[in-house]
Amino acid sequence: MSTFTRTFAATLLAALPLSAQAAPTAADSAGVVRVAETLLRAISTRDTALARTVMMPGVQFVSVRDPAPATATPRTQRDSVFYASLTRGTDVMLERMWSPSVRFFGTALAEVSAPYDFHIDGKFSHCGTDVFTVVRAAGEWRLGALAYTTQREGCTPSPLGPPKR
């Protein structure tokens, strides 16, 4: 296929309303949730190689306290700092999410949001909501960004029950 043909086809596709383009499938929904679940498993196992399988280079993490004072500043962290934190620590971390909600924005951008709880060495640390921005890159769903809230009190108990040791 010539460059002109590829460019022309891409231009036509971009001009079509989303309703005329291929809609995301159940497999797409499962794929974006799998990205989120894989990242949480990587955190819980301190596995940077596993995290890299689902993260795009340069991913940024943003956390905000909830409730946050008006003067609060969100904490940001680059992927390199995230990877280093996984390799440095020795405490046992467990992050669990449930009831994920998926929204698509076209066919190559999705958002997964879910409540979560976080435990360190078997003890509750905090809870909140994770919001994963997932993009289709080279035919695969990959994490583009993660934002999350953190709460230390007032957390709704997880429907998953207490963590298993």
Side-chain angles (χ1 to χ4, degrees):
M1 182 183 295
S2 74
T3 302
F4 172 79
T5 304
R6 280 193 304 272
T7 303
F8 182 71
T11 302
L12 278 178
L13 182 60
L16 289 173
L18 288 178
S19 60
Q21 296 180 24
T25 65
D28 288 323
S29 290
V32 297
V33 170
R34 192 169 28 260
V35 167
E37 291 171 336
T38 300
L39 181 63
L40 298 186
R41 190 169 59 247
I43 291 169
S44 295
T45 58
R46 295 186 172 277
D47 188 339
T48 58
L50 180 60
R52 288 177 198 277
T53 67
V54 294
M55 290 173 53
M56 295 181 65
V59 167
Q60 185 161 349
F61 296 77
V62 179
S63 66
V64 294
R65 289 189 326 199
D66 185 31
T71 58
T73 302
R75 188 186 89 170
T76 61
Q77 179 179 332
R78 302 291 301 175
D79 59 343
S80 57
V81 175
F82 168 75
Y83 292 133
S85 71
L86 286 183
T87 61
R88 276 195 315 264
T90 59
D91 36 352
V92 177
M93 300 183 297
L94 174 63
E95 183 168 353
R96 310 179 304 167
M97 72 172 192
W98 57 92
S99 305
S101 173
V102 177
R103 289 186 342 164
F104 286 92
F105 307 93
T107 59
L109 178 64
E111 172 188 271
V112 178
S113 60
Y116 76 92
D117 61 7
F118 194 88
H119 302 264
I120 299 174
D121 291 331
K123 295 184 178 124
F124 175 81
S125 171
H126 62 275
C127 70
T129 301
D130 282 332
V131 180
F132 303 86
T133 301
V134 184
V135 299
R136 191 186 313 261
E140 295 180 4
W141 290 107
R142 305 282 303 255
L143 182 69
L146 172 60
Y148 57 97
T149 63
T150 60
Q151 292 175 239
R152 299 234 183 249
E153 299 174 342
C155 299
T156 302
S158 167
L160 302 174
K164 294 175 179 59
R165 293 188 181 238

